[in-house]
Amino acid sequence: MIDPAVEQMLRKDPKSYVIPAEVVANVTATNTLEHALMVLSKVGYTRIPVLDADDHLQGLLPLAAITDQLLKVPGAAVEQLSNYTVADAMRPVEHWVDDPARLETILSYLVDEPFIPLIDEQQVFQGIITRREILKRVNYLAHNLDENYEVIPRQVLSDNID
Ligand code: 2BA
């Protein structure tokens, strides 16, 4: 369990650490891998969500999955990626949250993943929670804890009681 004081400071206004769907680069399963490679190169991210026409989250597309696909075909050139679609290379979404306030879950997922998708009850994609946004909160906590709480080492407390 996260310490309540820490949680209160990290979790202040949870929506503010969500990058909204409108600004998250994405592809659809029917896009060609050539198109997906262009999108990834243009935005500069190494992994982006795959959405359907109704904005449901279908999977994740890492850049490495495209290069894997390319390497399966001996001597293949980038143009041959137009013969494959995102559906051929995308990976399943293993972790997501439906509430940005689920900080304990989010922190444990972000140890291994660069971002966690946020979806609603209908699995419609709402945005992502990135390591960067959460680390900004941790940085704030590290610098401002003593403005909000008085932190006294346990040893000092027990010495005063004795
Ligand atoms: P990566 O693409 O592996 O990026 C790792 C970190 O590198 C990012 O961490 C960010 O700090 C920096 N970075 C990479 N490309 C960037 C760019 N074009 N502009 C600004 N910074 C860039 P986070 O910001 O914590 O993002 C974690 C992961 O979330 C990213 O991993 C990417 O997979 C995804 N992501 C973040 N913002 C996104 C967006 N607007 N659209 C799609 N995916 C996004």
Side-chain angles (χ1 to χ4, degrees), residues 47-63:
R47 174 187 307 219
I48 55 176
V50 181
L51 305 182
D52 71 10
D54 298 317
D55 287 342
H56 295 106
L57 182 62
Q58 292 197 303
L60 299 174
L61 183 68
L63 182 60

Side-chain angles (χ1 to χ4, degrees), residues 19 23-25 43-49 114-115 128 130-132:
I19 299 186
V23 295
V24 177
V43 296
Y45 292 111
T46 58
R47 174 187 307 219
I48 55 176
F115 70 88
I128 57 175
T130 61
R131 275 187 187 153
R132 181 169 191 265

Side-chain angles (χ1 to χ4, degrees), residues 2-3 22 30 32-33 38 41 44 52-53 76 79 84-86 89-90 93-95 102 108 125 131 146-147 154 158:
I2 300 181
D3 184 279
E22 309 85 77
T30 54
T32 66
L33 282 186
M38 282 192 318
S41 309
D52 71 10
E79 306 87 68
Y84 301 95
T85 63
V86 168
M90 69 187 196
V93 182
E94 285 177 9
H95 297 125
R102 290 183 58 204
S108 70
F125 179 67
R131 275 187 187 153
D146 67 347
E147 278 181 21
R154 284 192 190 281
S158 62

Side-chain angles (χ1 to χ4, degrees), residues 12-28:
K12 207 169 163 200
D13 189 13
K15 280 194 182 146
S16 69
Y17 53 70
V18 177
I19 299 186
E22 309 85 77
V23 295
V24 177
N26 65 81
V27 285
T28 63

